[in-house]
Short mmCIF file of all heavy atoms in Angstrom, two decimals:
data_model
loop_
_atom_site.label_atom_id
_atom_site.label_comp_id
_atom_site.label_asym_id
_atom_site.label_seq_id
_atom_site.Cartn_x
_atom_site.Cartn_y
_atom_site.Cartn_z
N GLY A 149 41.10 -146.89 19.37
CA GLY A 149 41.36 -146.60 18.02
C GLY A 149 42.10 -147.74 17.35
O GLY A 149 42.38 -148.80 17.88
N PRO A 150 42.39 -147.54 16.02
CA PRO A 150 43.11 -148.49 15.22
C PRO A 150 44.47 -148.93 15.78
O PRO A 150 44.89 -150.09 15.63
CB PRO A 150 43.30 -147.89 13.84
CG PRO A 150 43.11 -146.40 14.08
CD PRO A 150 42.18 -146.31 15.33
N THR A 151 45.09 -148.09 16.54
CA THR A 151 46.36 -148.50 17.12
C THR A 151 46.29 -148.82 18.55
O THR A 151 47.25 -148.94 19.31
CB THR A 151 47.39 -147.35 17.00
OG1 THR A 151 46.87 -146.08 17.66
CG2 THR A 151 47.65 -147.04 15.51
N GLY A 152 45.02 -148.98 19.04
CA GLY A 152 44.82 -149.39 20.43
C GLY A 152 44.69 -148.30 21.47
O GLY A 152 44.75 -148.47 22.67
N GLN A 153 44.72 -147.03 20.97
CA GLN A 153 44.63 -145.90 21.89
C GLN A 153 43.29 -145.66 22.55
O GLN A 153 42.28 -146.04 21.87
CB GLN A 153 45.12 -144.56 21.15
CG GLN A 153 44.19 -143.97 20.13
CD GLN A 153 44.29 -144.61 18.74
OE1 GLN A 153 44.70 -145.81 18.63
NE2 GLN A 153 43.94 -143.76 17.80
N ASP A 154 43.29 -145.19 23.67
CA ASP A 154 42.03 -144.92 24.42
C ASP A 154 41.46 -143.65 23.89
O ASP A 154 41.99 -142.56 23.84
CB ASP A 154 42.36 -144.66 25.86
CG ASP A 154 41.04 -144.60 26.76
OD1 ASP A 154 40.00 -144.28 26.19
OD2 ASP A 154 41.32 -144.69 28.01
N LEU A 155 40.18 -143.78 23.23
CA LEU A 155 39.54 -142.66 22.49
C LEU A 155 38.66 -141.86 23.43
O LEU A 155 38.02 -140.96 22.90
CB LEU A 155 38.74 -143.26 21.35
CG LEU A 155 39.60 -143.93 20.20
CD1 LEU A 155 38.60 -144.45 19.16
CD2 LEU A 155 40.58 -142.95 19.65
N ARG A 156 38.47 -142.25 24.72
CA ARG A 156 37.53 -141.56 25.47
C ARG A 156 37.95 -140.07 25.79
O ARG A 156 39.16 -139.87 26.09
CB ARG A 156 37.47 -142.19 26.86
CG ARG A 156 36.84 -143.67 26.89
CD ARG A 156 36.84 -144.20 28.28
NE ARG A 156 38.21 -144.36 28.83
CZ ARG A 156 38.51 -144.63 30.11
NH1 ARG A 156 37.49 -144.73 31.00
NH2 ARG A 156 39.76 -144.73 30.52
N PRO A 157 37.06 -139.08 25.76
CA PRO A 157 37.33 -137.75 26.08
C PRO A 157 37.54 -137.59 27.56
O PRO A 157 38.07 -136.62 28.08
CB PRO A 157 36.23 -136.96 25.54
CG PRO A 157 35.08 -137.94 25.51
CD PRO A 157 35.67 -139.29 25.23
N LEU A 158 37.00 -138.50 28.42
CA LEU A 158 37.06 -138.42 29.82
C LEU A 158 37.70 -139.72 30.35
O LEU A 158 37.00 -140.68 30.35
CB LEU A 158 35.70 -138.18 30.50
CG LEU A 158 35.65 -138.05 31.95
CD1 LEU A 158 36.51 -136.83 32.46
CD2 LEU A 158 34.29 -137.96 32.49
N LYS A 159 39.01 -139.64 30.89
CA LYS A 159 39.66 -140.81 31.26
C LYS A 159 39.89 -140.63 32.89
O LYS A 159 41.03 -140.69 33.35
CB LYS A 159 41.05 -140.83 30.61
CG LYS A 159 40.91 -140.96 29.05
CD LYS A 159 42.19 -141.00 28.43
CE LYS A 159 42.15 -141.01 26.92
NZ LYS A 159 41.68 -139.79 26.32
N MET A 160 38.81 -140.65 33.56
CA MET A 160 38.92 -140.48 35.00
C MET A 160 39.29 -141.86 35.64
O MET A 160 40.08 -141.86 36.55
CB MET A 160 37.59 -140.05 35.58
CG MET A 160 37.66 -139.77 37.07
SD MET A 160 36.02 -139.34 37.78
CE MET A 160 35.61 -137.91 36.85
N LEU A 161 38.62 -142.93 35.10
CA LEU A 161 38.99 -144.30 35.56
C LEU A 161 39.63 -144.97 34.49
O LEU A 161 39.45 -144.82 33.26
CB LEU A 161 37.72 -145.03 35.93
CG LEU A 161 36.84 -144.43 37.08
CD1 LEU A 161 35.52 -145.30 37.23
CD2 LEU A 161 37.59 -144.39 38.31
N ILE A 162 40.62 -145.82 34.87
CA ILE A 162 41.33 -146.64 33.90
C ILE A 162 41.42 -148.08 34.38
O ILE A 162 41.26 -148.34 35.59
CB ILE A 162 42.83 -146.12 33.69
CG1 ILE A 162 43.62 -146.10 35.02
CG2 ILE A 162 42.88 -144.69 33.02
CD1 ILE A 162 45.09 -145.69 34.85
N PRO A 163 41.63 -149.09 33.46
CA PRO A 163 41.72 -150.45 33.96
C PRO A 163 42.87 -150.61 34.92
O PRO A 163 43.97 -149.94 34.76
CB PRO A 163 41.95 -151.27 32.69
CG PRO A 163 41.42 -150.40 31.60
CD PRO A 163 41.65 -148.94 32.03
#
Side-chain angles (χ1 to χ4, degrees):
T151 60
Q153 73 271 32
D154 188 341
L155 296 178
R156 294 179 298 166
L158 179 63
K159 303 178 182 68
M160 183 185 306
L161 298 179
I162 59 173

